[in-house]
Amino acid sequence: TEHRLEIMKDSRTGVYGVLILALSLLMKVFALASLVTLGGMSAAAALLAAGIAARTALVWHWTELESARPGGVADHAGRPDEESLSFALVTGIPVAAVIVLIVFSLSSAVLAALLVVIASFAFVRLCRDKIGGFTGDTLGAASQIAEVAALIALACSL
């Protein structure tokens, strides 16, 4: 665990970091390219809904885990309280769902929600098992993972 945290703290960007960023960007581009076939507004709506879902997942990730590095930067930033989590869930989920329902379909909304939830739960478990909690890196990754999951789900639902 400590060795993993030290690697994550190293400010030099490694090959794996660059590869995962490129892969994430490519997945978003391919998903959006397929969504553009429905029209620019559909792709924009998907991007907006995915962004909302991603920020909601980030807040959940942050409240679900303890800090992996007590005294670290993310630990000093504090953690959202239960009221903040409730607000994020009660506003984020319905707003993202309404956007998807207006532009896509109920099955698209269900698929996107399901994939975001599965990806978010899996990532929380991975963080708990491998590093014992959250860091600033995992907060950003949680958001990216949820956004990619939502976009892929919407693209696959066409």
Side-chain angles (χ1 to χ4, degrees), residues 3-14 69 137:
H3 182 64
R4 286 185 178 102
L5 288 170
E6 281 304 312
I7 291 170
M8 290 172 67
K9 192 172 183 170
D10 190 347
S11 62
R12 296 171 291 183
T13 302
R69 195 179 294 123
D137 290 340

Side-chain angles (χ1 to χ4, degrees), residues 114-124 145-146 149:
L114 189 60
L115 197 53
V116 168
V117 167
I118 290 169
S120 296
F121 270 90
F123 188 59
V124 161
I145 289 167

Side-chain angles (χ1 to χ4, degrees), residues 13-28 123 137 141 144-145 148:
T13 302
V15 173
Y16 292 119
V18 171
L19 285 174
I20 201 69
L21 285 172
L23 181 61
S24 173
L25 183 60
L26 281 173
M27 287 189 290
K28 288 179 191 180
F123 188 59
D137 290 340
Q144 290 300 303
I145 289 167
V148 168

Side-chain angles (χ1 to χ4, degrees), residues 32-86:
L32 285 170
S34 85
L35 290 166
V36 165
T37 62
L38 297 176
M41 290 304 289
S42 296
L47 197 55
L48 179 61
I52 293 167
R55 278 31 168 221
T56 303
L58 181 150
V59 174
W60 179 76
H61 178 90
W62 205 347
T63 57
E64 187 66 18
L65 296 167
E66 297 297 320
S67 175
R69 195 179 294 123
V73 176
D75 188 39
H76 284 302
R79 291 180 58 205
D81 56 20
E82 287 298 319
E83 186 176 311
S84 298
L85 174 61
S86 295

Side-chain angles (χ1 to χ4, degrees), residues 76-147:
H76 284 302
R79 291 180 58 205
D81 56 20
E82 287 298 319
E83 186 176 311
S84 298
L85 174 61
S86 295
F87 180 78
L89 294 173
V90 167
T91 58
I93 293 170
V95 171
V98 166
I99 292 169
V100 173
L101 287 170
I102 289 171
V103 177
F104 297 94
S105 65
L106 177 60
S107 62
S108 297
V110 170
L111 180 62
L114 189 60
L115 197 53
V116 168
V117 167
I118 290 169
S120 296
F121 270 90
F123 188 59
V124 161
R125 183 175 179 148
L126 179 71
C127 290
R128 186 177 287 125
D129 292 348
K130 297 296 182 184
I131 62 170
F134 74 86
T135 67
D137 290 340
T138 69
L139 294 174
S143 177
Q144 290 300 303
I145 289 167
E147 186 172 30

